Amino acid sequence: MTKTYRLHYAPDNASLIIRLALEELGLPYTCVLVDRAGAAHKSPAYLALNPNGLIPVLETPEGVMFETGAILLWLADRHGRLAPPVDSPERGDFLKWLFFVANTLHPALRMTFYPAQYVGDEPGAHLALRRHMQVEIARHLDALNRLAASGPAYFCASKASVLDLYLAPLLRWMVLYPAPEGGAGWFSLARWPHLRDMAIRLEQSPCVAAAIRAEGLNTAPFTAPEYANPPEGSAT
């Protein structure tokens, strides 16, 4: 029997992605709130779990996991769902796109949200980086929309995969956190219809309903997102 996992989370952070996977897999887990407003993710106790000071962390019977993509892949392989099996002909394609989202698309969002971490404190540099990364993000979503149009079983299909569960919250945050200096309105999900359809399907799933209750999300968190109103903690 699977022992209970412990998810260290903050509302509407990357831990939301892991919550969706745990719920979709029907796994028992408990949550430990990480107080971002109090910088708890930079505390010695948290850094002992994840020396990078990032959310999420998942405690498992086999040890502590961090990095969103690694946790998703580990859960999918450990429980035999939400990803092509190791011997599947689609395994290689699935892996390259999962790592694309984790290593290329997700960091591009971080650059738009936290430009000072990459280019210092000069406002003009912030604006230049944000505008550049918004162009790059749109290009990445074009590639993912083309992938979905080709009909792989592991992405934007009738059954969700960890790739869907990873992408949907990213689509949410693109709406909620536009660049404040002239960047509002840069993103419209309608431009990528296959990704939009995936998000609509996912919003009807029990795993999203559970996340809505736990993290104070609205009823259409991916296609018409609103800022979270969580029962505990803060999204920022």
Side-chain angles (χ1 to χ4, degrees), residues 50-63:
N50 182 353
N52 301 310
L54 298 174
I55 300 168
V57 158
L58 184 69
E59 294 187 69
T60 85
E62 284 76 35

Side-chain angles (χ1 to χ4, degrees), residues 104-117:
T104 302
L105 179 59
H106 197 171
L109 265 69
R110 286 188 56 83
M111 291 181 197
T112 67
F113 300 159
Y114 310 110
Q117 295 182 8

Side-chain angles (χ1 to χ4, degrees), residues 176-202:
L176 293 180
Y177 302 106
E181 313 96 342
W186 74 276
F187 175 84
S188 173
L189 187 54
R191 172 174 167 177
W192 300 282
H194 295 285
L195 307 185
R196 179 200 60 208
D197 291 347
M198 176 274 291
I200 292 171
R201 285 193 300 273
L202 199 55

